[in-house]
Amino acid sequence: MSSVETYPEGLAITVEGVSKRFGRTLALDDVSLAVPHGTVFALLGPNGAGKSTLIDILCTIGRPDSGRALIAGIDVVKQPLAARRQLGVVFQETTLDTRLTVRENLSFHGMVYQMGRRERLTRTDEMLELVDLTDWADSEVKTLSSGMRRRLEIARALMHRPQILFLDEPTVGLDAQARARIWDYIAALRAQQDLTVIVTTHYIEEVDACDDICIIDRGKILAKGSPDALKSQHGSTLLKVTPRSDEARAAILARYPDAVAGAESQLLIQMTATDSADAILAEFGNQLRQISIDQPSLESVFLSLTGRDLREAPPVSRKARRNG
Amino acid sequence: MSTALSRGFGQARGVYAIWLREVKRSLRDKGQLVGGVSRPLLWVLILGIGLNPYFRGEVYGEVRFVVPYTYLQFIFPAVIVLNILYTSIQSAVSLIWDREFGFLREVLVSPMPRNLILLGKVLGGATTAVIHGCMVLVVARFVGVAPSWSDIAQAIGLMFVLSFGLTAFGIVIANYIRGFESFGVFSNAVILPLYFTASSVFPLDPALTRAQTLVTYPEWLVYMVEFNPLTYAIDAMRGILIDFNQFDPAFNFQVVGVLAVGLFLLAMWEFRKV
């Protein structure tokens, strides 16, 4: 393995100037980032931001048009097979074989990752234990709930002891309880040594627990940093008001042209001076149905960086996103 | 050197895993098993027994047909090939399934080279097809076909090479199908025409000269039969099981062998893009 290029000490992932175009859409526009070893790193952005395209390139499925990407120091374009050994991937859509049993899925994975028989057997049991699926080992996957399937996929991705685990929207389509449980597992993995976790999500409330966040929109990286650093740099106190009528709405918009439409006919106003909450109450107090003041949050960070509410970002269909 | 060896072992294990999954899945698929049993039964019981009395030693104008076998014996090797044809293509179609439901991605991000993924898949499909071919072979005695053990071994060998080629062919087709609906179309547009124009249900009598054959059958049909590679596979199977050949046996095996290798290479080419 002498051909492997050396990489900056302690970096699990290096992305340098990666661009990718699908037809007329620039899905990734000169993206660079570095992820230190042993951290939990979140890629945050609305649907269609380019997260999945970036993950595909890092997983060696997609090829960048330009730039380069290293996984544990291995170039994903030049040495895809070597890079894949260091990767565990949980894709957004389930990739289990539902006609095989839980154990058979893990065993299949162990074999295609070329693990020896003994190691495969012990590792299967360890992984089943890790995600509390030991009792389901011999059930066919089609009998499992979607939360259990997700846990199985995480277990499977870790079978071959990868250095880096990718979780692409791991909590989409799960109920609140199952989502919380997935994040419990991620926290447990974080405590484990020698694993870097890259997670993509568009649920903003989920990434507060990560070490580093990278906010990405329309193929560009807008900001990087720890949640606290991002909040203090880009966050602002956010005023959420619900006008009583359309006239009131128009009046508020005329007064605060930077206000952004939020969920449920809310208007989101970023406060610059401390007195603006008082100002708006004095001016429009009787025309508001509801008002709330949010302390700096990642939501306001996203708003101030992109000028739109993450929740309100128009959903892009799966196909459109794949094709850019 | 030893790392190359251990990597070779590792990759062989990966091919085995893909093969094992294919075989397990198809054996658990009740629908496929039911088809594999009922299809040959219908062909042999209804068509075979029904046409049996009309087949022998007919005089047609000046010409006497000299296929010295009953219709059941004649059609039996073709029914084996039919079962193989269906099963191979069905196995290959699981590729569409894998692509649609994402399982393919799990394999594509593994450290297995694409060609070996394809090899495992094709070997798995071929194995299933051979199993389905053998299910037909089991009833040989009831239709008056009595192969020796060495005949059976040769037949299984031929089945495997043929299944290998046909599964590769199915993968090439599957690569062009988007969605499941169109598979029914392909089955009717590919499987049945291939089968019927392979001299499967009627002979091109070897006793006839070419001129006589062209008088007996319309020209286009004769050309289609001669052009269809499956003709030679069925003829090879007949040669092994009932010692009846319409074409040169050596040429038959060459066609089947070249087809298997050629179609696998074509599938490799297609699979790069998946």
Side-chain angles (χ1 to χ4, degrees), chain A:
Chain A
M1 301 294 266
S2 56
S3 62
V4 173
E5 293 170 58
T6 52
Y7 60 101
E9 198 65 36
L11 285 186
I13 290 176
T14 317
V15 176
E16 289 169 358
V18 163
S19 296
K20 175 82 182 176
R21 180 179 284 281
F22 294 105
R24 306 177 84 184
T25 322
L26 199 54
L28 291 176
D29 185 4
D30 194 22
V31 168
S32 295
L33 55 87
V35 180
H37 201 77
T39 54
V40 178
F41 185 89
L43 275 172
L44 180 69
N47 286 331
K51 289 171 295 175
S52 291
T53 308
L54 184 56
I55 295 278
D56 277 358
I57 287 172
L58 290 172
C59 296
T60 76
I61 289 184
R63 284 175 75 100
D65 295 338
S66 60
R68 61 175 202 155
L70 306 181
I71 291 287
I74 304 166
D75 190 310
V76 296
V77 174
K78 289 180 191 149
Q79 293 182 288
L81 296 189
R84 287 179 202 163
R85 283 175 203 279
Q86 311 300 335
L87 295 177
V89 193
V90 177
F91 287 107
Q92 195 169 343
E93 307 93 26
T94 176
T95 58
L96 295 164
D97 186 332
T98 54
R99 277 200 231 160
L100 296 184
T101 66
V102 169
R103 195 187 293 282
E104 283 170 337
N105 267 285
L106 292 179
S107 176
F108 177 88
H109 184 91
M111 283 198 269
V112 294
Y113 278 77
Q114 297 154 34
M115 295 166 71
R117 180 184 152 79
R118 190 172 305 161
E119 194 198 357
R120 208 166 62 227
L121 292 177
T122 53
R123 192 71 180 155
T124 301
D125 291 337
E126 278 172 36
M127 288 296 104
L128 287 174
E129 196 127 325
L130 175 77
V131 296
D132 299 317
L133 284 175
T134 308
D135 294 342
W136 296 83
D138 296 309
S139 316
E140 280 189 32
V141 170
K142 62 184 170 201
T143 61
L144 266 55
S145 71
S146 48
M148 288 159 84
R149 288 182 194 194
R150 227 353 99 86
R151 273 147 55 196
L152 174 58
E153 287 192 287
I154 293 175
R156 185 180 65 172
L158 293 171
M159 265 292 279
H160 58 285
R161 302 178 197 277
Q163 291 190 35
I164 297 153
L165 174 66
F166 283 103
L167 301 165
D168 193 3
E169 302 274 3
T171 54
V172 159
L174 300 184
D175 59 53
Q177 201 185 352
R179 269 166 63 176
R181 199 155 175 195
I182 295 294
W183 280 96
D184 285 346
Y185 289 116
I186 295 174
L189 293 172
R190 179 192 196 171
Q192 221 175 304
Q193 266 191 327
D194 278 343
L195 187 70
T196 308
V197 182
I198 315 287
V199 54
T200 76
T201 182
H202 63 274
Y203 293 123
I204 213 153
E205 62 276 16
E206 290 188 338
V207 295
D208 254 323
C210 300
D211 298 309
D212 272 310
I213 300 169
C214 169
I215 294 181
I216 181 169
D217 189 29
R218 294 180 175 133
K220 271 191 185 329
I221 290 182
L222 301 177
K224 282 176 280 196
S226 69
D228 288 340
L230 284 177
K231 280 181 218 167
S232 64
Q233 264 175 40
H234 304 282
S236 55
T237 306
L238 198 63
L239 205 61
K240 294 183 175 176
V241 298
T242 313
R244 274 182 203 275
S245 61
D246 287 345
E247 294 86 65
R249 188 185 175 85
I252 295 171
L253 275 171
R255 172 75 175 73
Y256 297 94
D258 289 340
V260 172
E264 293 154 14
S265 73
Q266 275 180 342
L267 285 174
L268 313 185
I269 302 165
Q270 290 182 54
M271 292 198 291
T272 42
T274 40
D275 63 343
S276 66
D278 296 337
I280 194 169
L281 274 176
E283 204 173 336
F284 299 104
N286 55 352
Q287 297 177 48
L288 299 178
R289 183 176 297 135
Q290 223 174 37
I291 182 164
S292 67
I293 300 169
D294 283 11
Q295 289 314 305
S297 66
L298 287 169
E299 196 178 350
S300 69
V301 171
F302 190 85
L303 183 69
S304 69
L305 285 171
T306 65
R308 44 190 180 130
D309 189 7
L310 186 61
R311 283 165 232 263
E312 279 302 284
V316 180
S317 76
R318 219 173 95 172
K319 195 174 175 73
R321 175 157 41 85
R322 282 235 180 103
N323 300 336

Side-chain angles (χ1 to χ4, degrees), chain B residues 217-230:
Chain B
Y217 292 106
E219 204 172 340
W220 59 266
L221 188 58
V222 175
Y223 284 128
M224 276 177 91
V225 170
E226 287 173 351
F227 186 71
N228 184 350
L230 208 59

